[in-house]
Amino acid sequence: MTRRITQDEQEFLDILRGKWRTGELLKYLQRGQITILGPGKGFSIPMEEIIIPRAHLAPIPPDAELQETGDGKEGDANVGPDIGIGQGPGKPGTDLGPVEGDDGEGSEGGERSAGSGRGGDVERVEVPADEAYELFAEMLELPRIQPKGDKSITKEEWKYTDIRKTGPDSLVHRRRTLKEALKRNIAEGTYVPERPRIIVERPDKRYRIPEVIKKPKNNAVIFFMMDVSGSMTSEDRKMVRYFCALFEFWLVGNFDGIEIVWIIHDGEADRVDRDTFFNTFRAGGTVVSTAHALMLKIIDEEFPPANWNIYPVYLSDGFNFGDDDDLCLELIRENTLPVVNQYTYCEVSAEREWWGATLAEGGDPNSRFSPSGSFGKMLQDNFSNDTRVACTNLKKIQDIPGALKAVFGKGN
Amino acid sequence: MTATLRVRPQFPTHLKHWKYEIERIAKRLGLELYPTDFQMVDHEEISELAAYQGFPVRGHHWSYGQESLRMKKSYRWGLHIIYEMVIPTNRPCYAYLLDVNPDSIQKQVMAHVYGHNDFFGRNIWFRDVPGNLHDRFGDNAMRLEEMRLEHGKEKVDRFLEACMSLDNLFNPLDPLELQISPPQSLAGSLPGPMKEKRHPKRLISNEALPGYMDEYINPPEWLDEERRRLAEEEKVKSDIARGVRVPEKPIRDILGFALVHAPLEPWQQEAVRMVREESQPLWKGAQTKFMNEGWAALWEAEIMAGQGVALDSEVCSFAQAYAGVQGGEGSINPYRLGKQLWDDIRMRWDTGRHGRIWNECVDGTIKKRWEEFIVFKSLYDEHGGATSEFSKEWDEFVTLVHETREGRGCVRNAFFLPENVVTEWLYYKKSVEKLKELQIAMRDVLELEAKARTSTKNGDEEKTAWFKRRWDAIKISNSPHRFWSSKELQVEIDRCTFYIQFKERISKGDVAVLQTPIPHEWVYWAKRHELLGGLGKGLEKMFEVCATHNDASFVDDFFTSDFCARHGYYTIGMGKSSQQPFASEDRYVISSRNHLRVKRLLLNMLLGKPKILLVDANFNNNNEWRLIHLHDGRDICYAGCHICNGKSSMKDVMERIYIVWNRKKAVHLETIKTEWPKRKPPWYYWYPPGWSGPEIERPKHRWVRYSCIDDVHATNVLPFESVDEDIRKLLPHIPDTLE
């Protein structure tokens, strides 16, 4: 039943869609406001209000110096200009609560769009899966992933679509049989409509026969490996969580089946589950090769490369135990790269001026990695020409679109 | 284009019957109601209605879609429930009820709706709102669709949105009809026949005076002044006649002016007219939001709790829902503020807390026992000082109060609030005459009820059908007491009888009469001041205020320091609290409980529209527009502020003014721009004794002119001296730091 408002709602959503295509979506992604709704579904984005501009007065900025001209100067608290009214007990100077209602960190600048400051998640628009993938691909200019070779588990499906005259009794097609029998009875003249009785004989019987349809099912496995040796802040972890969600989202859209393996390491590597992956804090030395070795072991045991598209993703802040670099290099070059679709390295390093030399202090301006990130540098040196390796770094959440482009831009 | 016919759920019969009962009680209490039409809708539809501001026949626009989606999401998250929706039409007044509410809530909502109904008819600001808004909106909607088909949706929508941006630029005090004279045709610009030159009037004395005296009676400077003034007036008139000076007087109604003077195509003129017609009545209605909601809440409580509509089983859910709407502490709630102000007005005018006798009273002893004092004052006025009638009445009064407080009175002492003393006393005084009236009324009512009882009755009827039958009988009766019910009358009669008996007991000496001395301050104060208007006029005053005020004047007049203190209002600012003076982040802190500050902030919220005047539509002799913003201490949001996030800035509005003026000429806006100095940390203000303290930085003001052609903007800072005198006269407040 169409209501009159439906036309207006559709019009509004169309306008929004138009805006998404022209760059708004990128803005949401940069702020971390796109929420993936789960495997196989799309994502939701905040519904920004489109305001018709009207003349209004600007409030006095809250950090302005105000001089009260007489009324009520005595006994009043020395705070900024009045911004609200309340009722209740308390003297001037009583604390009423923090200014930023929800988390102060994370959301950049505390976006307070008109009317939905605190409850920004309330007004969200859900974008269904197919549209979501289309928008995502368009926004980041990502090519669709082509399944490689015959790296697909062919799943045999038997479909009973055909009919023949002979077969086993269990595959009788009852309806067709009766139809044939009816035809014959009418032709013979033994069919009396007033007393309908159909007599079925052997030549009438019809049977279903199976057709084997080979449906190629593309499967991918993602190996998320992370360095949890204590040098990542909780902001970093938020970024990592978001990055992983988006990574998974894109691959889910391109493959039929996804498996994920979570590996964390410090001096030793462990296979864990999703929650542990994001919430472990350890302090220890960093030996990168352990994680890669574990991954290779799991590939051997569970995910034969012939059937699986493998995507290792390594997230760290670039530190590695010195001698280990060569071993890593060998593991990657000899053992990993031949069997994977793409090796992704993502260096997560929030701005840290107090730790080592930054670019401004004479670090290599061409390197995209902070000078203390030796692992990234090493990868870059060795594999800059290899199309199967993608390196990127994440300093702040605004870097995510750039990172995704670098990672998926090659279409591996 | 037209809505698909939806079959709404039927308005249930028992609720229909309750409607009659509630209407009867409302009329008995003195409300004047338009016929009301209730409809049941589900929550989606009510969100949609709210999006359309109550008129689902309005022309299609995506902004309604946006609003509707937001409200539906809001409802789904349990943030916001709309119980009802009332439309200010008067034939009939449409009201929508949420279908899932239980009956107790529905009754309450209906009572609330009747409160609104009365307000629409009573308040002067709704006088201008045409009663047939539905029809107007429907016609406009159809015209809009035709225009879209004819000229292209994109073009029409863009122009329409440009007009919508300007719909708050008008003076709510003006009537709806255009008061702008059309542009003069060129034919009238030729100079007319030579008019006689006007000369300044000279004073002439009766007696003949020597010649040299003339200089003193009519000094030459004054004569020159007058000649200059007359010449200016002549120039202005000829300018107007030639169409050079347009508009004649500065006006605020931008859309109205554009309608008359802008070179728009016919469809554009229609669009301007439509937007203006639709938005201005609704804005006017919005000027009384607080009062309206408070009024409806007041009568809702009165009808439901006071007069027995809420059954005993329902009282709890009523209280809960009522409290839910009224809101808890910590935030400003228009329903609550309005209702509290109304209660305050009623209480004050019932107990004489107004006028100089109250305002100038600083004596705590009087204020603490105000009710008794004021009754004393009224008796003093009536009988004089130490007369025997005075003593007799005063003793009666004191005894009545004492007995009631001890629980032997008419009213249960649990409900005997201090304010009720006065009303009870007044009732007591008039009980004899009242009883006679009530007995006459009872006779009428019994007759009416008997008629209702004997009217045709169905076999199996609901209990509430009695209301319908009574209502039918009321309709054909013409007794002035027809809205009473016998039960209600009986309650009143009992009360009167009790008081009369009480009087007899006192006169027979059965009740101990307390001798209470009268403090001499009372006598002094009573002698000094008058009691204007008498006591017990609460209801009357409320009706009067309801008719004449709007939100701003309502708050201005009745938000007193007493009210502010009693209800605990405070203003909030951002800074360091006294509990955590060295916190790194600013926090929300109570900044003041001073009622002037709270009132100022409230008024700022209510009068939040900028006043923009169009002073010259032929600026620079080039058909450019010159607008002045009347700066009253608050800057206009030119490039975006944290409220609108840069999306609703004056820059955008000026572009739209450019579109609507449609002459491809610049639009200028002149105003004052304030630069606020940043707040210093608290240690900056500490100074050792003997020093006079640091210099406090003052905000700087500049006169700026913002200009706009299409999407090109420019800002110019001008010295204030260059602004001419007439413009300066218009500004309400010129800060002294203006350069």
Side-chain angles (χ1 to χ4, degrees):
Chain A
M1 190 167 346
T2 24
R3 293 198 165 107
R4 195 164 187 277
I5 193 107
T6 324
Q7 177 183 340
D8 295 328
E9 289 178 357
Q10 286 310 317
E11 215 182 302
F12 172 65
L13 287 174
D14 285 339
I15 295 183
L16 275 190
R17 285 198 180 91
K19 294 184 82 163
W20 296 339
R21 298 212 126 85
T22 54
E24 291 277 314
L25 212 52
L26 199 59
K27 219 170 49 166
Y28 295 136
L29 187 59
Q30 279 186 331
R31 294 202 206 119
Q33 283 172 331
I34 298 189
T35 312
I36 315 291
L37 290 174
K41 305 198 201 157
F43 49 67
S44 81
I45 49 182
M47 181 166 76
E48 232 174 78
E49 214 184 335
I50 307 180
I51 308 180
I52 295 181
R54 286 197 170 91
H56 67 109
L57 295 166
I60 302 175
D63 57 350
E65 174 85 57
L66 254 202
Q67 300 167 302
E68 288 304 323
T69 45
D71 40 51
K73 182 85 166 113
E74 315 303 322
D76 289 343
N78 177 24
V79 291
D82 299 333
I83 46 179
I85 297 183
Q87 262 185 295
K91 290 197 323 229
T94 309
D95 189 284
L96 287 174
V99 174
E100 291 297 317
D102 30 32
D103 55 310
E105 56 169 334
S107 40
E108 278 291 321
E111 202 228 10
R112 285 167 56 196
S113 47
S116 63
R118 322 140 284 299
D121 347 291
V122 172
E123 290 134 23
R124 297 189 82 91
V125 181
E126 284 172 15
V127 187
D130 30 3
E131 206 185 330
Y133 283 109
E134 217 184 286
L135 286 169
F136 200 75
E138 200 183 309
M139 155 175 73
L140 294 174
E141 297 153 13
L142 302 176
R144 285 264 165 183
I145 298 181
Q146 307 298 326
K148 295 231 169 15
D150 56 352
K151 228 196 265 271
S152 29
I153 301 178
T154 45
K155 189 172 128 182
E156 281 188 5
E157 273 185 27
W158 286 33
K159 285 193 152 207
Y160 290 83
T161 43
D162 243 345
I163 290 252
R164 62 180 183 191
K165 292 190 185 169
T166 56
D169 271 336
S170 58
L171 291 174
V172 159
H173 192 315
R174 294 215 162 79
R175 187 172 284 224
R176 294 295 291 269
T177 310
L178 284 176
K179 222 166 147 184
E180 296 295 326
L182 183 61
K183 278 198 253 182
R184 189 177 51 75
N185 279 330
I186 293 177
E188 283 177 14
T190 58
Y191 181 72
V192 176
E194 289 83 18
R195 242 172 21 106
R197 264 183 81 190
I198 303 176
I199 305 177
V200 176
E201 300 194 1
R202 262 224 344 190
D204 295 327
K205 285 203 177 170
R206 297 287 179 271
Y207 301 88
R208 304 172 196 256
I209 52 168
E211 216 179 279
V212 175
I213 303 180
K214 276 197 171 195
K215 256 185 85 162
K217 214 161 140 42
N218 286 314
N219 285 322
V221 58
I222 314 179
F223 283 90
F224 281 119
M225 298 177 283
M226 183 155 79
D227 174 3
V228 292
S229 60
S231 35
M232 295 224 270
T233 67
S234 55
E235 244 192 72
D236 292 341
R237 277 167 204 269
K238 270 199 185 166
M239 275 196 310
V240 160
R241 196 187 273 256
Y242 197 51
F243 180 75
C244 292
L246 287 170
F247 195 97
E248 190 190 328
F249 171 73
W250 180 245
L251 285 184
V252 162
N254 281 291
F255 288 95
D256 301 313
I258 291 273
E259 290 281 335
I260 310 186
V261 177
W262 308 92
I263 297 178
I264 55 175
H265 84 91
D266 51 1
E268 295 171 355
D270 283 317
R271 180 179 178 177
V272 293
D273 62 0
R274 185 200 183 103
D275 290 320
T276 328
F277 184 82
F278 287 116
N279 293 322
T280 315
F281 295 84
R282 287 197 203 157
T286 309
V287 184
V288 175
S289 57
T290 51
H292 288 77
L294 180 59
M295 173 185 75
L296 289 168
K297 186 155 133 296
I298 297 177
I299 291 179
D300 278 337
E301 290 170 6
E302 296 176 40
F303 298 105
N307 296 336
W308 292 89
N309 296 287
I310 307 182
Y311 288 89
V313 182
Y314 182 53
L315 309 149
S316 95
D317 50 9
F319 285 99
N320 193 11
F321 190 51
D323 298 339
D324 193 49
D325 272 350
D326 297 324
L327 179 55
C328 273
L329 214 49
E330 196 195 305
L331 278 177
I332 293 179
R333 199 201 307 262
E334 311 298 322
N335 303 34
T336 319
L337 282 182
V339 297
V340 303
N341 283 31
Q342 169 168 292
Y343 178 82
T344 311
Y345 170 69
C346 178
E347 185 168 295
V348 180
S349 52
E351 306 279 352
R352 267 196 307 250
E353 293 99 33
W354 50 271
W355 187 294
T358 56
L359 280 164
E361 292 176 356
D364 183 355
N366 292 327
S367 157
R368 285 182 299 141
F369 301 94
S370 52
S372 48
S374 61
F375 192 76
K377 195 151 186 321
M378 175 195 75
L379 280 181
Q380 214 187 1
D381 290 339
N382 284 295
F383 297 114
S384 49
N385 296 326
D386 196 332
T387 51
R388 288 170 304 173
V389 174
C391 296
T392 176
N393 66 345
L394 280 183
K395 281 205 172 46
K396 1 185 236 305
I397 211 161
Q398 277 93 323
D399 295 337
I400 287 211
L404 287 171
K405 264 202 218 178
V407 164
F408 289 123
K410 301 183 183 163
N412 285 337
Chain B
M1 176 171 68
T2 51
T4 323
L5 263 188
R6 272 193 85 235
V7 179
R8 290 219 176 94
Q10 270 275 23
F11 195 54
T13 326
H14 65 278
L15 276 183
K16 229 192 287 190
H17 295 155
W18 271 111
K19 175 189 165 203
Y20 295 129
E21 177 70 359
I22 294 175
E23 211 168 311
R24 174 186 73 75
I25 298 178
K27 291 210 158 143
R28 173 170 70 75
L29 290 169
L31 301 182
E32 289 164 16
L33 307 172
Y34 295 120
T36 319
D37 186 0
F38 285 101
Q39 309 227 1
M40 306 282 276
V41 292
D42 62 18
H43 78 271
E44 277 204 352
E45 202 169 338
I46 216 172
S47 304
E48 292 160 14
L49 282 167
Y52 278 127
Q53 288 162 338
F55 296 97
V57 291
R58 288 182 89 156
H60 281 290
H61 194 254
W62 55 259
S63 58
Y64 302 131
Q66 174 179 256
E67 191 62 29
S68 160
L69 285 174
R70 282 185 58 202
M71 304 202 86
K72 288 188 187 169
K73 274 260 155 58
S74 223
Y75 181 86
R76 227 172 283 155
W77 283 72
L79 288 176
H80 178 74
I81 308 178
I82 312 173
Y83 284 106
E84 43 83 25
M85 182 104 220
V86 190
I87 325 292
T89 49
N90 56 13
R91 272 181 299 270
C93 177
Y94 285 107
Y96 300 95
L97 302 176
L98 196 56
D99 58 356
V100 296
N101 282 333
D103 279 350
S104 58
I105 306 252
Q106 300 287 35
K107 286 191 268 184
Q108 171 186 345
V109 170
M110 286 203 277
H112 189 96
V113 164
Y114 279 119
H116 281 305
N117 193 329
D118 173 72
F119 192 87
F120 292 144
R122 203 178 286 273
N123 188 287
I124 201 173
W125 289 80
F126 277 95
R127 211 60 60 83
D128 231 356
V129 176
N132 59 345
L133 277 174
H134 261 111
D135 303 332
R136 291 237 197 158
F137 284 153
D139 291 340
N140 286 346
M142 285 210 319
R143 255 323 271 146
L144 185 63
E145 286 306 317
E146 287 172 20
M147 273 169 25
R148 279 180 171 143
L149 285 174
E150 204 182 315
H151 299 279
K153 189 165 185 338
E154 197 48 52
K155 203 160 74 152
V156 169
D157 272 1
R158 258 179 17 116
F159 189 77
L160 193 71
E161 279 153 38
C163 295
M164 282 164 76
S165 280
L166 311 179
D167 65 4
N168 68 339
L169 296 174
F170 69 102
N171 189 353
L173 294 169
D174 285 340
L176 253 185
E177 283 74 39
L178 279 177
Q179 307 223 311
I180 304 166
S181 45
Q184 307 287 333
S185 58
L186 278 176
S189 66
L190 297 169
M194 272 297 288
K195 276 203 288 249
E196 239 187 73
K197 192 155 178 249
R198 288 161 63 193
H199 292 279
K201 279 189 169 148
R202 305 172 80 105
L203 279 179
I204 307 181
S205 68
N206 278 335
E207 312 155 353
L209 286 173
Y212 62 83
M213 285 295 284
D214 192 40
E215 249 185 52
Y216 291 99
I217 306 175
N218 297 307
E221 302 86 23
W222 176 80
L223 282 177
D224 286 333
E225 226 5 271
E226 280 291 295
R227 278 195 206 103
R228 214 177 307 143
R229 185 181 65 84
L230 285 172
E232 249 184 61
E233 270 184 27
E234 283 298 321
K235 182 171 185 316
V236 165
K237 276 212 199 121
S238 81
D239 274 350
I240 293 176
R242 285 185 301 140
V244 172
R245 185 198 186 84
V246 149
E248 302 163 10
K249 281 199 303 251
I251 63 171
R252 280 176 70 180
D253 191 351
I254 306 285
L255 281 180
F257 185 80
L259 194 55
V260 176
H261 286 266
L264 298 167
E265 295 178 39
W267 67 267
Q268 290 175 321
Q269 276 189 330
E270 285 230 40
V272 172
R273 179 190 60 78
M274 274 168 28
V275 169
R276 183 171 178 274
E277 220 173 64
E278 292 190 358
S279 60
Q280 287 194 357
L282 295 180
W283 271 98
K284 284 187 196 222
Q287 301 288 320
T288 52
K289 173 108 181 115
F290 278 25
M291 283 173 74
N292 204 347
E293 295 301 341
W295 188 252
L298 176 88
W299 291 108
E300 176 190 340
E302 194 68 40
I303 294 176
M304 288 297 286
Q307 313 289 339
V309 171
L311 309 173
D312 285 337
S313 54
E314 297 169 338
V315 169
C316 271
S317 73
F318 162 70
Q320 197 170 22
Y322 192 74
V325 166
Q326 292 274 302
E329 295 179 344
S331 62
I332 186 81
N333 182 323
Y335 293 75
R336 195 172 63 211
L337 176 65
K339 164 101 179 13
Q340 285 176 344
L341 276 170
W342 284 119
D343 282 341
D344 197 57
I345 293 178
R346 188 188 203 168
M347 187 268 290
R348 283 175 59 194
W349 263 260
D350 268 342
T351 57
R353 280 179 162 89
H354 57 99
R356 291 178 68 177
I357 192 172
W358 165 255
N359 292 337
E360 297 185 3
C361 179
V362 291
D363 193 343
T365 50
I366 299 184
K367 278 198 160 167
K368 245 194 323 185
R369 294 164 62 193
W370 178 264
E371 284 79 21
E372 297 165 64
F373 165 72
I374 206 69
V375 172
F376 158 72
K377 164 76 176 156
S378 73
L379 291 177
Y380 186 87
D381 286 343
E382 214 184 309
H383 300 294
T387 55
S388 57
E389 293 97 358
F390 170 80
S391 323
K392 181 158 147 290
E393 291 230 56
W394 176 248
D395 291 339
E396 269 188 72
F397 168 69
V398 168
T399 319
L400 173 71
V401 170
H402 177 78
E403 291 293 301
T404 315
R405 283 211 180 108
E406 297 291 310
R408 291 187 288 272
C410 184
V411 182
R412 294 215 344 237
N413 62 345
F415 297 136
F416 192 60
L417 303 166
E419 297 93 65
N420 296 358
V421 168
V422 178
T423 32
E424 284 303 311
W425 166 248
L426 291 170
Y427 203 94
Y428 173 87
K429 269 187 79 149
K430 297 200 234 77
S431 37
V432 177
E433 302 90 41
K434 250 193 138 46
L435 185 63
K436 296 206 187 72
E437 274 177 39
L438 289 171
Q439 281 164 338
I440 299 177
M442 184 58 124
R443 221 184 43 222
D444 280 350
V445 169
L446 284 175
E447 199 181 306
L448 188 145
E449 291 189 352
K451 235 184 272 182
R453 225 176 302 250
T454 56
S455 60
T456 48
K457 180 175 155 169
N458 285 336
D460 52 343
E461 211 179 38
E462 300 178 38
K463 282 190 288 197
T464 50
W466 161 244
F467 297 139
K468 171 105 178 31
R469 281 187 278 125
R470 186 214 290 263
W471 188 251
D472 290 337
I474 290 176
K475 277 199 278 204
I476 56 177
S477 150
N478 54 4
S479 149
H481 309 287
R482 59 189 187 277
F483 293 117
W484 285 88
S485 84
S486 51
K487 266 199 228 143
E488 291 161 359
L489 275 177
Q490 192 58 43
V491 166
E492 300 289 313
I493 289 179
D494 288 343
R495 206 166 154 205
C496 279
T497 331
F498 178 87
Y499 281 137
I500 294 178
Q501 288 172 350
F502 194 88
K503 279 194 186 180
E504 287 172 9
R505 280 166 60 206
I506 286 190
S507 59
K508 272 200 267 184
D510 281 345
V511 186
V513 172
L514 284 173
Q515 298 290 335
T516 324
I518 296 169
H520 63 87
E521 295 100 5
W522 289 19
V523 184
Y524 166 72
W525 200 247
K527 274 202 193 144
R528 251 195 89 163
H529 291 279
E530 276 177 42
L531 178 61
L532 292 169
L535 298 174
K537 302 287 182 199
L539 258 182
E540 217 178 281
K541 182 72 182 172
M542 281 205 313
F543 280 120
E544 181 194 315
V545 168
C546 177
T548 52
H549 283 61
N550 72 343
D551 275 350
S553 57
F554 189 57
V555 167
D556 198 27
D557 285 348
F558 298 110
F559 193 88
T560 57
S561 72
D562 191 49
F563 177 83
C564 185
R566 207 168 350 118
H567 291 281
Y569 281 96
Y570 52 77
T571 53
I572 305 174
M574 262 170 55
K576 310 280 181 278
S577 65
S578 50
Q579 281 104 326
Q580 297 176 349
F582 302 110
S584 53
E585 297 278 325
D586 275 349
R587 294 174 73 85
Y588 288 126
V589 177
I590 295 185
S591 51
S592 170
R593 298 200 94 105
N594 179 292
H595 85 280
L596 287 173
R597 267 177 81 158
V598 180
K599 185 151 69 151
R600 184 154 54 131
L601 192 59
L602 259 180
L603 288 176
N604 275 353
M605 274 165 45
L606 292 171
L607 299 169
K609 247 179 15 182
K611 290 202 184 122
I612 297 187
L613 278 181
L614 172 66
V615 299
D616 196 352
N618 192 10
F619 189 53
N620 289 339
N621 229 343
N622 191 20
N623 279 320
E624 294 176 3
W625 268 21
R626 183 176 185 216
L627 304 148
I628 309 280
H629 165 234
L630 300 181
H631 192 267
D632 58 358
R634 295 173 293 172
D635 279 8
I636 205 166
C637 165
Y638 180 63
C641 59
H642 68 256
I643 297 185
C644 67
N645 263 337
K647 297 209 198 108
S648 173
S649 60
M650 196 63 204
K651 265 191 184 161
D652 301 329
V653 177
M654 283 179 69
E655 288 178 17
R656 280 146 179 82
I657 297 181
Y658 173 83
I659 293 176
V660 172
W661 179 223
N662 208 22
R663 266 200 205 265
K664 304 273 189 290
K665 294 289 189 329
V667 174
H668 307 276
L669 173 69
E670 298 184 17
T671 178
I672 298 178
K673 186 163 143 70
T674 316
E675 281 164 27
W676 291 100
K678 282 251 188 303
R679 275 186 62 231
K680 314 284 187 302
W683 51 258
Y684 183 85
Y685 297 104
W686 183 88
Y687 54 91
W691 190 32
S692 62
E695 180 89 25
I696 298 190
E697 221 182 311
R698 307 191 65 188
K700 293 208 242 308
H701 300 270
R702 304 234 194 289
W703 185 264
V704 295
R705 173 184 293 168
Y706 300 119
S707 312
C708 160
I709 297 190
D710 207 359
D711 53 354
V712 176
H713 296 269
T715 311
N716 287 317
V717 176
L718 302 173
F720 193 54
E721 290 89 42
S722 65
V723 177
D724 37 334
E725 192 55 42
D726 342 329
I727 309 288
R728 284 200 215 193
K729 276 193 284 204
L730 296 168
L731 294 174
H733 161 74
I734 301 182
D736 19 321
T737 54
L738 188 56
E739 300 161 17

